[in-house]
Structure formats: structure tokens, C-alpha cells
Amino acid sequence: MGNYSKYIIYGASLSLLTGLFLYVVNNIWTTAGIVFTSAGGGLLFLNIVLNRRNVMSFIGKRSTKYGANAIMLSLIILGILALGNFSLKRHSWRVDTTSSGQYSLAKQTISVLRGLEKEVKVTAFQSEMQSGRIRDLLEEYSHHSGKFIYDVMDPDKNPDIAKKFGIKKYGELVIQSGGREERIQDVNEEKLTNGLIKLISDKAHKIYFLSGHGEKSFELSVENRESLSLITGELNKVNYQTETLHLFQQDSVPEDASLVLIAGAEKSLLPREVGALREYLSGGGSLMLMFEPRVEDSGIDELLSDIGVTLQNDIVLEQSASFIISGGGLKRNMRVSLEPTAAGYGQHRITEDFRLASAFPTARSLQVQENSESGDYDLTELVLTSGSSWGETDFALLDKNQAGFDENRDNPGPVVLAVVGKVKEGREGGRIIVVGDSDFPSNSYLERAPGNKDLFLNMVSWLLEDESLISIRPRDPEDRRVSMTLKQTKVVFWLLVVMLPVSILGFGIGVYFKRRKY
């Protein structure tokens, strides 16, 4: 029986291995695989039955019990590891150790992903050699939402699918959800998040820019320093439509207006235009009014006064101090700037968790009226300057570079640069934001201060009641690659790849022979 048993074990092992091999190759249990695996198991069982006395004797041995205990302990440890791995997979935790946060998503991206109500399928087409970066980015997105599903395909290996999607170049990405589709090229976080916002947005907002009074241009083709073309491009990226409003040619604000924006009117609005804006606001519309100093009569002062806001006829100056070393020692150098920065933000949804600095060149201050609490609007002082600033009212002294704070004449700091208002419950009205500066979202200042763009876009999102978009937006990650010449590359190769390992090996050989000698 002993010889037969040996052959039965050989046959059972061969049959089991064949069955497992067929499963691995085909990735499914085929008929042949099931037959071989079942035959192997049957032969093992037959061998146990035929040699039951030897088996029982083997089980009774002390060494067998020790071995069984060791196997059980190993299985328990493996089970604990598997359970831990399963838990970590479902509740993963990540740390981005890069200084620029290269592998962290912006707050707006995370907010959009967590707000997904429908499943979003993303298909990226990139060559296998260059798919690492986009795969990492999509993996980060999927980490924040179970409804974000992605696939990365090599168009050369999947030509039929690439043709079906109409892919013409490497790096294209298609986002699909609810029968809608968005396409992106040269993918980065900003483009991908904006594509998601466009795809999931059910309503297309239309923003009207008032024109005809010397306002700043918002046309994309106008790229001068004072233009708002860059910020208009940002609005268009998230599916906000922009259009010119000539209110002096019509009696009312168009019905499809989600927001009317006035950016630095240099001339006074006609009473008929102000009446149209008042009617639009009282009907639940949204207004964003940005003013410039030295415009004595905007025509809207009465409307603002009814809401509870007063435009101050001043220019906000900010005094800063620095220390310089001269021949006479350390001296204090005072400097007065026409570009006050925001020293604090009010408690409001627009500036919630907002920690970016913003600058407001040549601004005028605002004042919230003391009796505003009894009005129709809840008002919040949104942006305030520092205590070292003031509202200069003597423009003649300012033009002579002789301006200085006069407590009898000027408005003391901190002064208010922006006010946000929302109609009280049960009253008639909409939403309004008043800013004492129209330059801060212009082309020349949009990126000059880190918070200008986000602050403006947050204001617009709040006015459009798109509050899920109020956040810090993604930016291109800092490129921290090291560029080396061919000569430098060779030096690094010979030092790190050749000489360092050879030195370590030589040192080890030297120690070995030295020890053998003694």
C-alpha cells in the first residue's frame, strides 16, 4: 500500500496543479480545470481513506500537534493582516509630504466630488508610457467619491474604443454622466474640475455686464491691463455665460439675467436705468456693484442708501513701516500705499475658511449705516483694511504727495472695502455685493495678490446661489523637476549607479579578507 500511496499523492498533486494552472491561464473555472481540480481532491481523499491508520497515527504525534498549532497561528496572523488590509482599503488615509501639495486636491475639487449626486465616468486616453501622471490624478479624485469612476486606456492598444470616442490625440479625456459629455485636452486638476462642474450643472447662469458709462471691458478679445477678460474666462470655464447690458436702450433688465455686474462706471447712471436695477433687485435679482474713487455721483447712491450702504468720497491709503540700515544706524522708513490689502474678512459664507490675501488698488471706503438693522437687508462688512489705513478725503494733498491722516477730516481705519447684503426673510429683494474698487479682478491685479481671483469668483458664486462652488480653486502644481545637461547626467550616473555600489562592494570584500587573516 505504501508504494501505491506514494503514486496516488504524486497523481493528486499533478492533477491539482494542472487545474490551478488552467484557472490562472483562463481567469475562469473551465470544465477541464474543474475536472482536474476535483480529481486531485478525490485522489487525496482516497489516499487518506486507504491509509487512515497511518493518518491517525501521524495526527497523534506530538510533532504533528506542534506543526498544526504553528499552522493555525500562521492562519490567524494572516487573517488579521487580511482584515487590516480590507479595513485600510475601505478607510484609507493619505499624507502628502510634498512642499507644494502636489498630490493634494484643492478644496473646491473635494467639495465638487463630495457633492456628486450621479455617477461620473471618466475615460482617459494616454499611451501606457505616459499614463502615470494622469492615473495618479484620477486616483486622487476617486479617493474622495465613490461615484467617480475612471479608466485609463492606451489608444494604440484599444483602437476600436478610441475610434468610438473620436479620440484624435494622446492625453484626451472624456467625462460622462447622465447622458451628457465633456471633453478635455492636456488634463490638469483645474481643467478636470471645471469639466465636472460644467457636466453636473443643471442651470446655465447668465451674467450681464452693464456698459455705456465707462465701465471696464469684459470682452475676451480685450487684453489690456484694465480689462476683466481674464476673470471673464474663469467665469466661462464653469459654464457662466457673459453678455453686455445696454440698459439705456431698454426699459428693464432681461428676464434671463442671473446677475447684473457694474464694474467701475465713470459716469452717472440715468434715473431710468437706476429704476430698472431697483426693480430687478426687488424682484429677487442679484447685483454686484464695484466703484472707483473720484466719481462724485454714481447715480446709484440713493439705491445704496435705501439698502443701508454709503459710498465715502475718499481714497483708501495704507501706511506701512520698515527698518533700513543707513550711515546713522537703524532707521524707520514710512511708506504710504494706494493699494490697501485686506487685513480681515467678515463672517460670511463667501469668506469661510478664506485665508488668502487680497489687494484693492485705488479703492474708496464704504460705510454701513447705523440704522441698517431696521432695513430690508442683512448686511455684513466683508472686507476690512488694517488699523494703519485711512480714507483720505483731501485729493489735492494726495496729488502733491503730502497726504497724511487728519483725524478732523479723514475716515479712520480700519475701513470697509466690501459689503454683502441679503434680503431678510419675508421682505422683497435679492442679493447684493458692493465693493469700493473695480480694479482687484482686472487683468493686472488678478494674480498680483493670491486671493483676488478666488474672492471675486466666490462673490459671484454666492450671488448666483451656487454656494457649492465657494472655495479655494485648484492651481497648476509647481514644477519641481531637475533639469541637467548631458554631462551632469553622466556624472550622476557614474557616481550613484557605478562608483557608489562598487565602493560598498570593495569595502565588504576588504573586511572579509581582513577577518580571514586573523
Side-chain angles (χ1 to χ4, degrees):
M1 185 60 68
N3 292 332
Y4 289 114
S5 177
K6 182 173 66 178
Y7 292 123
I8 290 173
I9 291 174
Y10 289 159
S13 301
L14 183 61
S15 184
L16 283 171
L17 289 173
T18 305
L20 290 173
F21 174 76
L22 291 173
Y23 171 75
V24 171
V25 170
N26 298 304
N27 206 27
I28 56 171
W29 283 107
T30 60
T31 303
I34 293 173
V35 169
F36 275 105
T37 306
S38 301
L43 287 173
L44 281 178
F45 180 73
L46 176 64
N47 186 55
I48 292 172
V49 172
L50 295 176
N51 297 281
R52 55 186 178 279
R53 290 185 178 176
N54 294 336
V55 172
M56 295 303 294
S57 173
F58 175 76
I59 293 174
K61 288 182 177 178
R62 179 178 297 178
S63 59
T64 304
K65 292 180 180 178
Y66 288 155
N69 289 337
I71 291 173
M72 286 299 295
L73 185 60
S74 300
L75 290 175
I76 290 171
I77 292 173
L78 286 174
I80 293 172
L81 291 175
L83 184 62
N85 186 51
F86 177 75
S87 299
L88 290 175
K89 179 72 176 177
R90 290 180 64 87
H91 307 284
S92 56
W93 179 72
R94 298 175 177 210
V95 176
D96 186 354
T97 58
T98 59
S99 62
S100 60
Q102 189 172 353
Y103 298 102
S104 298
L105 298 180
K107 290 182 179 178
Q108 186 191 49
T109 300
I110 296 171
S111 174
V112 169
L113 288 169
R114 290 177 177 169
L116 289 179
E117 297 179 354
K118 301 176 184 176
E119 185 175 277
V120 174
K121 173 75 183 296
V122 175
T123 308
F125 293 88
Q126 183 59 281
S127 64
E128 195 167 322
M129 292 287 291
Q130 298 178 334
S131 63
R133 189 182 66 84
I134 192 169
R135 194 182 293 278
D136 290 342
L137 179 64
L138 296 176
E139 178 62 26
E140 284 298 320
Y141 273 66
S142 66
H143 174 68
H144 292 281
S145 174
K147 294 181 179 176
F148 185 92
I149 300 169
Y150 74 92
D151 195 3
V152 181
M153 291 189 177
D154 187 336
D156 295 330
K157 294 183 177 179
N158 302 277
D160 294 340
I161 299 176
K163 184 178 180 181
K164 177 185 171 185
F165 279 92
I167 302 301
K168 296 179 180 176
K169 58 181 290 189
Y170 294 111
E172 283 195 68
L173 183 146
V174 181
I175 315 173
Q176 297 171 304
S177 179
R180 300 171 66 183
E181 183 177 297
E182 279 289 328
R183 291 171 177 270
I184 299 173
Q185 294 184 352
D186 303 324
V187 180
N188 57 28
E189 185 188 351
E190 182 183 7
K191 290 182 179 179
L192 182 53
T193 301
N194 288 336
L196 275 174
I197 292 171
K198 276 187 178 181
L199 195 71
I200 63 179
S201 177
D202 294 327
K203 185 178 178 182
H205 293 289
K206 184 173 281 189
I207 301 172
Y208 281 92
F209 285 76
L210 190 69
S211 180
H213 314 83
E215 294 89 348
K216 288 183 168 54
S217 173
F218 71 97
E219 300 289 346
L220 294 173
S221 58
V222 181
E223 298 178 349
N224 58 41
R225 296 176 70 251
E226 292 78 19
S227 167
L228 303 178
S229 59
L230 292 179
I231 198 67
T232 301
E234 297 296 326
L235 294 172
N236 295 155
K237 285 179 182 177
V238 290
N239 212 25
Y240 293 161
Q241 300 174 21
T242 49
E243 199 164 318
T244 304
L245 173 62
H246 298 290
L247 204 50
F248 56 89
Q249 294 177 340
Q250 51 199 81
D251 296 329
S252 61
V253 174
E255 293 183 357
D256 61 349
S258 304
L259 167 65
V260 174
L261 196 151
I262 303 176
E266 296 176 354
K267 300 294 181 183
S268 176
L269 273 68
L270 298 175
R272 183 165 58 85
E273 297 174 294
V274 177
L277 292 174
R278 185 187 291 275
E279 183 180 348
Y280 168 70
L281 183 64
S282 62
S286 294
L287 284 179
M288 184 167 182
L289 311 176
M290 298 188 291
F291 296 94
E292 282 294 303
R294 303 200 189 213
V295 179
E296 293 186 5
D297 183 14
S298 65
I300 317 177
D301 297 38
E302 186 177 341
L303 188 152
L304 292 176
S305 179
D306 292 345
I307 292 171
V309 178
T310 302
L311 281 176
Q312 303 281 48
N313 188 23
D314 60 11
I315 292 182
V316 181
L317 302 179
E318 188 166 78
Q319 183 171 269
S320 59
S322 61
F323 291 91
I324 58 173
I325 300 175
S326 65
L330 194 64
K331 287 187 176 180
R332 191 179 189 190
N333 184 34
M334 302 300 294
R335 176 176 172 270
V336 175
S337 171
L338 278 166
E339 298 181 6
T341 56
Y345 299 105
Q347 295 290 324
H348 194 271
R349 178 72 182 93
I350 293 173
T351 50
E352 193 174 80
D353 296 327
F354 194 86
R355 299 184 181 86
L356 301 177
S358 52
F360 299 83
T362 59
R364 66 193 299 174
S365 65
L366 311 173
Q367 184 181 28
V368 175
Q369 297 167 8
E370 293 181 358
N371 60 349
S372 63
E373 293 183 1
S374 60
D376 294 334
Y377 281 80
D378 285 322
L379 299 174
T380 302
E381 296 175 345
L382 193 67
V383 179
L384 296 101
T385 61
S386 69
S388 60
S389 64
W390 74 93
E392 175 64 49
T393 58
D394 193 331
F395 297 152
L397 285 178
L398 183 65
D399 293 338
K400 296 176 184 175
N401 291 325
Q402 297 175 355
F405 177 64
D406 185 335
E407 61 181 8
N408 298 319
R409 183 188 63 222
D410 298 328
N411 299 311
V415 298
V416 180
L417 293 180
V419 175
V420 57
K422 183 181 179 182
V423 72
K424 293 177 181 175
E425 195 171 349
R427 311 285 179 89
E428 289 186 352
R431 298 186 175 200
I432 185 168
I433 291 179
V434 186
V435 187
D437 177 48
S438 64
D439 293 317
F440 81 99
S442 63
N443 291 354
S444 57
Y445 290 98
L446 193 62
E447 299 292 348
R448 190 160 171 174
N452 281 17
K453 183 173 82 172
D454 286 302
L455 181 63
F456 179 85
L457 293 176
N458 282 358
M459 288 176 173
V460 171
S461 296
W462 181 81
L463 288 167
L464 296 176
E465 301 183 38
D466 244 352
E467 297 187 19
S468 62
L469 299 186
I470 295 176
S471 190
I472 307 300
R473 286 151 185 84
R475 289 174 169 76
D476 288 337
E478 183 184 357
D479 190 347
R480 297 176 67 86
R481 286 178 295 184
V482 177
S483 298
M484 294 188 293
T485 62
L486 181 60
K487 182 179 180 181
Q488 292 169 331
T489 305
K490 288 182 177 178
V491 170
V492 171
F493 173 80
W494 282 103
L495 281 176
L496 298 182
V497 181
V498 179
M499 294 185 68
L500 183 60
V502 169
S503 301
I504 295 173
L505 180 64
F507 178 76
I509 293 173
V511 171
Y512 172 76
F513 282 108
K514 190 172 183 180
R515 288 188 174 180
R516 283 198 62 182
K517 185 182 290 184
Y518 296 101

